């Protein structure tokens, strides 16, 4: 499909739940709903992790393959997984579970969603 024929659609992301837990660096689990032009997809088991710098990392669910390697359970384009991380981080901050930290400028939060 060429770019001339590409269609655009609407995507919305809603955080369904955030559950605080204590398990090493893991401090919360989240679930989100992604609505892509009326097609609803739920993702459960999104992990919120503390990293050495004190920042928060948001990770999509993973599984262990037959060799024991951790693999992404779902692969999403950056245009979707980055906003998921932002939405989850916003809810964590609203609930006082995480704090916003900045790298260099106030417009660059130190958080990442690992795909």
């Amino acid at each position: 499909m060429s770019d001339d024929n590409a269609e655009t659609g609407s995507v919305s992301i809603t955080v369904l739940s955030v559950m605080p837990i204590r398990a090493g660096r893991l401090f919360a689990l989240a679930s989100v709903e992604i609505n892509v032009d009326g097609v609803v997809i739920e993702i459960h088991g999104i992990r919120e992790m503390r990293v050495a710098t004190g920042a928060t990392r948001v990770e999509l669910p993973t599984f262990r393959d037959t060799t024991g390697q951790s693999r992404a359970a779902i692969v999403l384009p950056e245009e979707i997984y980055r906003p998921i991380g932002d939405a989850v981080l916003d809810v964590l901050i609203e609930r006082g579970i995480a704090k916003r930290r900045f790298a260099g400028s106030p417009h660059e939060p130190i958080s990442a969603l690992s795909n």
Side-chain angles (χ1 to χ4, degrees), residues 38-82:
V39 177
V40 176
I41 302 164
E42 287 187 12
I43 302 175
H44 303 278
I46 298 170
R47 300 177 302 177
E48 290 72 52
M49 312 285 289
R50 301 250 187 251
V51 294
T53 63
T56 298
R57 184 174 65 225
V58 179
E59 298 179 344
L60 290 174
T62 59
F63 72 98
R64 298 249 179 228
D65 68 12
T66 56
T67 66
Q69 291 285 325
S70 183
R71 303 277 182 199
I74 184 169
V75 178
L76 299 170
E78 184 174 342
E79 296 85 2
I80 294 177
Y81 79 77
R82 290 265 180 226

Side-chain angles (χ1 to χ4, degrees), residues 21-115:
I21 62 171
R22 291 178 189 238
R25 295 181 307 129
L26 177 66
F27 70 92
L29 289 173
S31 295
V32 300
E33 176 183 275
I34 305 168
N35 185 328
V36 181
D37 281 336
V39 177
V40 176
I41 302 164
E42 287 187 12
I43 302 175
H44 303 278
I46 298 170
R47 300 177 302 177
E48 290 72 52
M49 312 285 289
R50 301 250 187 251
V51 294
T53 63
T56 298
R57 184 174 65 225
V58 179
E59 298 179 344
L60 290 174
T62 59
F63 72 98
R64 298 249 179 228
D65 68 12
T66 56
T67 66
Q69 291 285 325
S70 183
R71 303 277 182 199
I74 184 169
V75 178
L76 299 170
E78 184 174 342
E79 296 85 2
I80 294 177
Y81 79 77
R82 290 265 180 226
I84 290 172
D86 294 342
V88 170
L89 185 59
D90 287 345
V91 171
L92 292 169
I93 292 167
E94 286 173 15
R95 295 186 183 174
I97 299 170
K99 294 181 180 179
R100 186 162 308 275
R101 297 182 186 265
F102 300 97
S105 96
H107 303 292
E108 296 178 34
I110 299 177
S111 69
L113 181 69
S114 300
N115 195 13

